Amino acid sequence: MMNRSVRFAALGALLWGVSACGDPVLPEQTFTQYVFGTQVEIIIRDTDAATAKAANDKLALDFARMHKDWHAWKPGELSDLNAAFAAGQSKAVSPFVKPLIEQSQTFEDLSDGLFNPALGAVIGAWGFHADEKPKGHRPDLAAIRAMAASKPSMSDVVFDGDVASSTNPLVQLDFGGFAKGVALDRAEQVLRSMGIENALVNAGGDINTLSDNQPWTIGIRDPKAWGVIATVVLAPGEDIYTSGNYERFREIDGVRYAHIIDPRNGMPVEHIVSATVITHSGALADAAATALSVAGPNDWYRIAKRMGIKYVVLVDDTGTVYLNPAMRERLVFTSEEIPKIVESAPLP
Ligand code: ADP
Ligand code: MG
């Protein structure tokens, strides 16, 4: 979602160099696309210009289809399905959408319900189903509480073959919390299938990488100020995702309401400014970053453990940094102004 500004992104370009076998180095190629409401940057190394361009063209087509058919409120397959659920009807689901439903059922379970893409009605009621930042008066809180109390869940979605229905009419699917991760995992497969071994795809700070021998160095953005709080070198194939309430929020009477919603009460999360995770799947990383934003400083460790995440860093609205020891070892802090670092027990 969101940001039109260029995110810190990969500093990987600083590191490009001779390939291991001493072949002549091909220049790194960078492409920019605008999709999913953000800027997507694709950096391809060790690849001839024609292949890199063909890869970028293929990704542009794939992303456009994902954007349309996975969109929570604009016309496309998902919004048709949501209309059917609201009307109490069942509907056939294509193989393009079904895996997202199944994957998000797993992630909802793993996150103890904190990652919940069935919350579309609540997210819409907060005004986040719009391209622009929502403006205006406070939404109807009683209605929002009532929606949350009906506990829409991915487990309400049941399949008869490929035909889906929802046992709860308030279920509205919104994959905004992990669609970028799924999209970037698919992009990675496309790049590999074209013989590309060294690449990075950055969707507004959510990043998948491929590398055989040249590590990517990534800057973790300081959520409170323009700049980078720390850098981290990714191991081959690692992905890094950040969820935050610092870019997309609504402001009512001077109070900021985040676009990340706590499924337990329908209210936007408070306190957390950003949650960053590193793992080997974009979809899991994206879902986990959203779930950990909801979990917050007191509960993130439990959720990270349940989700099998090994590297986490959270920043709260006072600038305090929360992380696990293995993450701390990997980070090179670039900001001198970190008020406090709170280290958890090791993650298994
Ligand atoms: P970003 O888009 O900033 O990377 P996220 O990955 O956290 O951040 O996605 C936020 C989006 O996820 C929201 O705009 C909304 O569509 C959706 N969402 C909000 N709360 C939840 C939640 N608890 N579980 C799953 N998805 C959510
Ligand atoms: Mg997410």
Side-chain angles (χ1 to χ4, degrees):
M1 309 269 103
M2 43 118 243
N3 85 320
R4 276 157 200 91
S5 54
V6 183
R7 255 200 206 185
F8 67 96
L11 308 174
L14 299 177
L15 289 186
W16 79 279
V18 208
S19 64
C21 47
D23 294 338
V25 174
L26 291 162
E28 184 172 277
Q29 296 166 77
T30 302
F31 303 89
T32 305
Q33 303 181 13
Y34 292 89
V35 68
F36 311 128
T38 193
Q39 177 177 305
V40 178
E41 182 191 30
I42 299 158
I43 304 177
I44 298 177
R45 294 174 173 170
D46 293 344
T47 305
D48 65 86
T51 306
K53 184 180 177 304
N56 178 60
D57 291 348
K58 166 90 176 101
L59 294 185
L61 283 176
D62 289 354
F63 288 155
R65 175 160 184 217
M66 295 172 197
H67 184 70
K68 183 170 190 297
D69 280 341
W70 298 350
H71 208 288
W73 74 89
K74 288 186 185 164
E77 184 175 347
L78 196 63
S79 59
D80 289 349
L81 185 60
N82 280 334
F85 286 170
Q89 290 162 359
S90 53
K91 192 163 184 4
V93 176
S94 80
F96 197 68
V97 166
K98 194 177 180 190
L100 276 86
I101 297 178
E102 291 170 335
Q103 220 174 355
S104 54
Q105 287 174 326
T106 306
F107 291 153
E108 185 184 332
D109 267 359
L110 274 179
S111 68
D112 201 15
L114 300 190
F115 173 77
N116 181 354
L119 275 188
V122 174
I123 294 163
W126 275 103
F128 290 115
H129 283 173
D131 286 330
E132 299 304 318
K133 251 182 215 175
K135 293 195 187 75
H137 296 297
R138 186 185 281 272
D140 182 346
L141 287 186
I144 287 175
R145 276 200 206 95
M147 283 181 210
S150 90
K151 299 198 188 316
S153 163
M154 293 306 302
S155 60
D156 296 324
V157 179
V158 286
F159 280 103
D160 180 1
D162 289 332
V163 176
S165 56
S166 172
T167 54
N168 180 340
L170 281 174
V171 165
Q172 291 283 284
L173 306 181
D174 177 337
F175 293 132
F178 91 134
K180 273 193 285 189
V182 182
L184 267 46
D185 286 345
R186 293 192 181 191
E188 201 182 305
Q189 283 174 9
V190 167
L191 294 171
R192 272 188 217 290
S193 74
M194 298 179 83
I196 295 169
E197 306 278 0
N198 289 294
L200 174 154
V201 187
N202 175 6
D206 290 339
I207 298 171
N208 270 43
T209 68
L210 286 79
S211 93
D212 53 8
N213 50 28
Q214 308 161 51
W216 292 98
T217 302
I218 308 295
I220 296 178
R221 188 174 142 184
D222 183 344
K224 311 245 317 164
W226 186 251
V228 165
I229 202 170
T231 60
V232 60
V233 178
L234 295 188
E238 277 186 333
D239 306 322
I240 181 165
Y241 279 66
T242 298
S243 240
N245 45 1
Y246 52 93
E247 274 170 329
R248 199 162 151 77
F249 51 83
R250 68 176 296 163
E251 205 158 331
I252 306 165
D253 302 333
V255 181
R256 286 181 172 194
Y257 294 91
H259 70 137
I260 299 171
I261 307 291
D262 187 333
R264 294 165 294 194
N265 56 14
M267 295 299 288
V269 301
E270 291 173 31
H271 311 305
I272 278 300
V273 178
S274 73
T276 299
V277 310
I278 300 175
T279 185
H280 277 91
S281 146
L284 173 62
D286 201 355
T290 303
L292 295 178
S293 298
V294 177
N298 296 326
D299 203 22
W300 69 265
Y301 179 81
R302 180 180 72 92
I303 300 300
K305 209 162 126 184
R306 279 181 69 103
M307 298 190 83
I309 303 294
K310 305 213 177 307
Y311 302 100
V312 179
V313 55
L314 265 66
V315 183
D316 76 7
D317 51 7
T318 67
T320 299
V321 169
Y322 302 82
L323 40 56
N324 63 302
M327 183 63 146
R328 187 171 192 166
E329 266 173 37
R330 295 182 66 174
L331 292 183
V332 178
F333 284 99
T334 48
S335 163
E336 313 246 301
E337 287 161 38
I338 294 168
K340 197 170 158 202
I341 298 182
V342 181
E343 196 174 297
S344 69
L347 281 167

